[in-house]
Amino acid sequence: MKKIIASTVVLLSATISFNALAESQIEAGKAAVAKFNCASCHGADYNTPIDPAYPKLAGQHKDYLEHALVAYRRGAGASNSRSNPIMGPLAKQLSDQDIKNIAAYLHSLPGTLVLRK
């Protein structure tokens, strides 16, 4: 019985710690998108970009956002990279933690992206 209680306490503590970490990443990501003025192109809600060619970011998968930002940071010519005259210089300023935080924040927002059946 004591093992079950101890295991439950450990599990609950881990869950609380994980949630606190996720919340701090979201808050740090919110500050980072403001610092780098992402809304100027992707829209104030990150669902209405100023140009239809720009992606909607709100609600996008966190791992996809991380991958895209890392690829922009690598720049043209590197393997598994992306080239864009606006995103390249911005992404080069981002640390790995900035990228994780931005991805967590944008993923947490309600998005309009849907899969068609």
Side-chain angles (χ1 to χ4, degrees):
M1 181 68 167
K2 287 183 181 181
K3 284 185 179 182
I4 293 172
I5 292 172
S7 297
T8 304
V9 168
V10 169
L11 182 60
L12 288 174
S13 296
T15 302
I16 291 168
S17 295
F18 178 76
N19 289 340
L21 174 65
E23 187 62 35
S24 69
Q25 278 188 322
I26 289 169
E27 288 304 313
K30 185 176 184 179
V33 296
K35 175 183 175 185
F36 292 101
N37 202 17
C38 302
S40 64
C41 293
H42 296 283
D45 63 355
Y46 303 99
N47 275 314
T48 52
I50 63 167
D51 184 305
Y54 298 162
K56 295 178 179 184
L57 301 178
Q60 184 59 265
H61 295 283
K62 190 171 141 182
D63 58 342
Y64 169 78
L65 292 166
E66 288 178 16
H67 177 79
L69 288 170
V70 168
Y72 283 122
R73 188 173 64 184
R74 285 186 188 123
S79 64
N80 197 16
S81 65
R82 292 182 178 196
S83 177
N84 180 282
I86 296 170
M87 286 300 301
L90 288 171
K92 286 188 187 330
Q93 300 175 55
L94 301 174
S95 68
D96 289 342
Q97 192 60 53
D98 289 334
I99 289 172
K100 288 179 188 311
N101 294 341
I102 289 169
Y105 172 65
L106 294 171
H107 174 72
S108 76
L109 299 174
T112 60
L113 299 170
V114 296
L115 295 173
R116 294 186 183 185
K117 292 183 179 185

